Amino acid sequence: VIEGLEHVIKRVNENSPRRVVVTMSLIGTKSYSLDIALKKAFDLGVVMVASAGNFRADACDFSPSSSPYVITVGATKEEGDGLFWFNTFYNSPGTNYGECVNIFAPGQWVRSASILSDNHLQQSSGTSLAAPIVAGVAALLLEETPTLSAQEVMNTLISTATPNVLNFSVIPSSAVSKTPNLLVYIK
């Protein structure tokens, strides 16, 4: 992951002022070294979007979701106002939550490209599917206003999100007030 970020940093330095959005649909143990690389990329204006993780746990306990330099995305259900949570159809316990999550996006039964062929689609679920939705919105913001910094993109995503429409009844009561009740929105 760090080598990948170093490659992005190198390319941004070579092609400045080109804007870049990076999606990180991955999760791991907390890493100080990764945080340093994330800060370097952020300072260059790279917008980084990370999945919150699918462990039904505090996103602050993992990397890159704990980094203040990424937009951390939790997952909602396909329909309604609920969070993506375990049931017998999924192999994931459910979205992570907590103050390190910045925003939520649809993460259940998301249709995406498949490795099976050039024209095959598959449906998957989890925060790894919610994060690219937010990355796409970030890219559209940069297309509209290419001069936005990474922080300004993050601030815009948060300020334009739809507030208080998600039902947090499935997460621990101690985490409800710490988890931002924000659903990504784009005009």
Side-chain angles (χ1 to χ4, degrees), residues 113-122:
S114 168
I115 62 170
L116 297 177
S117 73
D118 289 345
N119 56 6
H120 186 264
L121 298 176
Q122 67 181 25

Side-chain angles (χ1 to χ4, degrees), residues 87-124:
N87 75 34
T88 57
F89 294 107
Y90 313 113
N91 60 4
S92 162
T95 188
N96 285 357
Y97 48 80
E99 64 187 328
C100 290
V101 174
N102 300 105
I103 198 164
F104 286 85
Q108 181 183 26
W109 296 122
V110 176
R111 186 174 291 172
S112 64
S114 168
I115 62 170
L116 297 177
S117 73
D118 289 345
N119 56 6
H120 186 264
L121 298 176
Q122 67 181 25
Q123 288 184 326
S124 300

Side-chain angles (χ1 to χ4, degrees), residues 134-156:
V134 174
V137 175
L140 290 171
L141 290 172
L142 285 172
E143 179 181 43
E144 187 176 293
T145 312
T147 58
L148 291 176
S149 69
Q151 185 65 58
E152 289 169 328
V153 170
M154 185 183 298
N155 293 346
T156 301

Side-chain angles (χ1 to χ4, degrees), residues 4-5 7-24 41-49 69 71 135-136 138-143 145-151 153:
L5 283 172
H7 177 75
V8 169
I9 290 166
K10 179 182 175 194
R11 295 297 303 258
V12 168
N13 282 328
E14 291 170 353
N15 298 308
S16 191
R18 194 168 167 209
R19 301 311 313 265
V20 176
V21 178
V22 173
T23 305
M24 292 180 281
F42 181 85
D43 289 346
L44 286 172
V46 176
V47 176
M48 294 167 290
V49 182
Y69 306 110
I71 301 161
L140 290 171
L141 290 172
L142 285 172
E143 179 181 43
T145 312
T147 58
L148 291 176
S149 69
Q151 185 65 58
V153 170

Side-chain angles (χ1 to χ4, degrees), residues 38 40 58 62 81 83 85 87 115 137 149 154 172 181 185:
L38 292 167
K40 264 190 216 178
D58 190 339
F62 304 93
D81 61 358
L83 298 186
W85 216 247
N87 75 34
I115 62 170
V137 175
S149 69
M154 185 183 298
N181 194 324
Y185 177 80

